[in-house]
Amino acid sequence: MLVTCWYLYLAARSLAKQSLNMASILQKLITPMSTGPPEPPRNKVTVVGVGQVGMACAISILLRELSDELALVDVMEDKLKGEMMDLQHGSLFLKTPKIVADKDYSVTANSRIVVVTAGVRQQEGESRLNLVQRNVNIFKHIVPQIVRYSPDCTIIVVSNPVDVLTYVTWKLSGLPQHRVIGSGTNLDSARFRFLMADKLGIHPSSFNGWILGEHGDTSVPVWSGTNVAGVNLQTLNPDIGTDCDEENWMETHKMVVDSAYEVIKLKGYTNWAIGLSVADLTESLIRNMNRIHPVSTMVKGMYGISDEVYLSLPCVLNSGGVASVVNMTLTDDEVAQLQASADTLWDIQKDLQDV
Amino acid sequence: MSSVLQKLITPLASSPAEPPRNKVTVVGVGQVGMACAISILLRDLCDELALVDVMEDRLKGEMMDLQHGSLFLKTSKIVADKDYAVTANSRLVVVTAGVRQQEGESRLNLVQRNVNVFKAIVPQIVKYSPNCTIIVVSNPVDVLTYVTWKLSGLPKHRVIGSGTNLDSARFRYLMAERLGIHASSFNGWVLGEHGDTSVPVWSGANVAGVNLQSLNPDIGTDGDKEQWTATHKAVVDSAYEVIKLKGYTNWAIGLSVADLTESIVKNMSRVHPVSTMVKDMFGIGEEVFLSLPCVLNSTGVSSVVNMTLTDGEVDQLRKSADTLWGIQKDLKDI
């Protein structure tokens, strides 16, 4: 009897010892302090589409430390998971502690900003407008899901043709117009400023110039506003931007329009510049900066445009989305070009099915 | 008929343009090379970036795409050419050129094809940047770092392999995830071969100085109930898994190369696990490159930290060295 008790005691002691050693490293190392559920994210960004453009947007946003959570969505599940893992493996070098991905949009819930890059892209020589109906069909699946899980978000549309698709997104989302932005001519203007500045031997950020209107072949370079340190270039050369300009400055705008085609011809697609430009817009929105960017917004009622089209104008961006639009002083000819862009775009939009 | 430029701007400095002080060259504009490039650009690490590749159209397209983003960057000169003259006066040259692993293929399989590519590349690099530091990324990185060192004639402290900097980053991320903390708050080192035989130094793993092995003496062994070795296995499998899912890996390696670049260009003397010449350390008798904790600054590898390793860990390092030497001794014409 005594022996049995003794063995029972030994067994109990061994069990107790084991269960003490059974405490995991996590339990021994770390004592929890706050018991509530984890805080929701404050600056969550979702990128829809993990192609070259989507991932360039993602890495630019991550390296600029703009978000505390990044969500990726796509239909190609393996590629999506691979991209998520590859970014997560870089976590040591980043300050975005949560990177998630799923084909189910619930993963995007509570996003402040949703960047839409999904859809088909231009083949060599193809114009952006050619992509439209295929991309509208894709957007019909995507946009309602986005809004369902992030009803207060601002959407940045990147997929081409961006102006038409921003209109489509606005219609499909039911969001107020100031919450739906097209990346528009933010990139064209960046390219313009780079090319112009290069000719003058200065940094692009020191060259002020705006390209408005359609992100595409009919974009409008506002020559009347181009300046360096406030010195207006048109005052120095009244022929600037015209065919009779001896210095042929309009060639630079032509290069901007041709840029995408050229890069696509050389490397198959473009991604770095658009990714950087989207991160730039994201920064203004998330940091509530009230910076002015040329982005695609609803322009009905401006410049004599009577249709519901999206075109790029200088917009003040902050955490509310498009807070306001700057009333650009344009020449009659520039207004005419904007109206022509609007007509081209409305021509396409009116034929779209079920928007 | 003075031009807009002449009317607008009056030159002041009449001397030639200043040479770059922090020029970085990336050789190879594939997914890894471009991920390195964009990470370096977004971290504002260089004042000039040069790209080199043999595929001329692709190269020009990548250069243009980066240049178009200049408004958003602080690197004012981005150039590219298949001729290495464009790389002249680089402080740092990142080599990502060569063939990459196909699905299921081990890194060691790539070796002879990449040696041949390197014979064309390395002498050109050194010709135009005789004082540079070279970071080798192409796989199998440890063997190719040895090859680069031999072909370049540079002193050994100037040739670094990206090595287990990435494995350690993955390790720290995966371990930290299990503990609910950020990767930078988990200290752990993976050394040796960047590949299947990498060595997780469990004896050093700690959080806030609390040694994990003291909390769990079985850590890293097969008898460990918590199965911590599974985390190291996940690190080894990482690349294969990502390649299977998306065809290649690029973001994590790009970020890790930018991390090394920062230490070198900013003369920081931070310690990183990178591939360096380890002959005469840990009883290794051959000229092999393996990852050890190295102090990196503008001279390159200024010193190596003498890691305290268990006998088992030293054994694993030696085995890595043997595996690598087994391959290196058969290489032709280095």
Side-chain angles (χ1 to χ4, degrees), chain A residues 28 64 93 236 267, chain B residues 7 43 62 72 215 246:
Chain A
K28 290 185 203 178
R64 287 226 184 279
F93 311 111
L236 297 184
K267 69 177 239 193
Chain B
K7 290 186 201 176
R43 286 222 186 282
E62 293 291 2
F72 312 111
L215 298 184
K246 69 177 240 194

Side-chain angles (χ1 to χ4, degrees), chain A residues 126-145:
Chain A
E126 192 180 10
S127 102
R128 293 177 184 90
L129 293 174
N130 215 40
L131 311 169
V132 76
Q133 191 63 54
R134 282 131 83 204
N135 279 342
V136 166
N137 296 334
I138 292 173
F139 274 45
K140 280 186 213 164
H141 288 116
I142 291 176
V143 177
Q145 292 282 338

Side-chain angles (χ1 to χ4, degrees), chain B residues 1-61:
Chain B
M1 281 309 294
S2 50
S3 65
V4 165
L5 175 56
Q6 289 165 329
K7 290 186 201 176
L8 187 65
I9 291 176
T10 301
L12 214 74
S14 42
S15 44
E18 290 266 317
R21 287 179 168 74
N22 291 317
K23 179 168 171 174
V24 174
T25 287
V26 175
V27 179
V29 296
Q31 298 291 350
V32 171
M34 291 315 292
C36 294
I38 196 71
S39 303
I40 288 169
L41 286 171
L42 275 161
R43 286 222 186 282
D44 298 333
L45 295 176
C46 60
D47 55 6
E48 183 173 329
L49 177 74
L51 304 174
V52 191
D53 202 301
V54 293
M55 300 179 65
E56 292 178 76
D57 279 357
R58 174 91 183 253
L59 178 64
K60 184 176 178 197

Side-chain angles (χ1 to χ4, degrees), chain A residues 29, chain B residues 185-187 203-215:
Chain A
L29 186 66
Chain B
S185 295
F186 177 89
N187 298 308
S203 54
N206 72 88
V207 174
V210 180
N211 184 291
L212 264 57
Q213 203 171 49
S214 323
L215 298 184

Side-chain angles (χ1 to χ4, degrees), chain A residues 122 128 187-189 191-192 195 211-212 214-221 250-264, chain B residues 68:
Chain A
Q122 290 156 272
R128 293 177 184 90
L187 176 55
D188 308 51
S189 299
R191 286 176 169 144
F192 185 58
L195 293 167
I211 292 191
L212 305 178
E214 182 200 354
H215 169 60
D217 301 344
T218 68
S219 64
V220 184
M250 66 184 288
E251 173 71 22
T252 310
H253 174 244
K254 187 174 185 308
M255 282 170 67
V256 172
V257 169
D258 290 343
S259 282
Y261 297 109
E262 223 199 312
V263 176
I264 290 171
Chain B
H68 291 163

Side-chain angles (χ1 to χ4, degrees), chain B residues 225-236:
Chain B
K225 291 187 189 70
E226 295 185 72
Q227 279 292 289
W228 286 100
T229 44
T231 310
H232 174 246
K233 186 171 187 309
V235 172
V236 169

Side-chain angles (χ1 to χ4, degrees), chain A residues 24-25 28 52 64 78-79 83 86 88-89 93 191 203 236 247 266-267 271-273 280, chain B residues 3-4 7 31 34 43 57-58 62 65 68 72-73 170 173 215 226 245-246 250-252 259:
Chain A
S24 65
I25 283 187
K28 290 185 203 178
Q52 297 289 351
R64 287 226 184 279
D78 278 357
K79 167 96 174 165
E83 293 291 0
D86 206 2
Q88 286 173 336
H89 290 165
F93 311 111
R191 286 176 169 144
H203 192 268
L236 297 184
E247 296 186 72
L266 293 168
K267 69 177 239 193
N271 65 330
W272 303 122
D280 185 50
Chain B
S3 65
V4 165
K7 290 186 201 176
Q31 298 291 350
M34 291 315 292
R43 286 222 186 282
D57 279 357
R58 174 91 183 253
E62 293 291 2
D65 206 1
H68 291 163
F72 312 111
L73 299 170
R170 285 174 170 147
Y173 164 70
L215 298 184
E226 295 185 72
L245 292 167
K246 69 177 240 194
N250 65 330
W251 302 121
D259 185 51

Side-chain angles (χ1 to χ4, degrees), chain B residues 308-325:
Chain B
T308 39
L309 301 174
T310 63
D311 291 338
E313 287 157 353
V314 173
D315 255 349
Q316 290 181 69
L317 273 189
R318 287 214 195 100
K319 276 207 198 72
S320 271
D322 290 339
T323 308
L324 293 170
W325 185 246

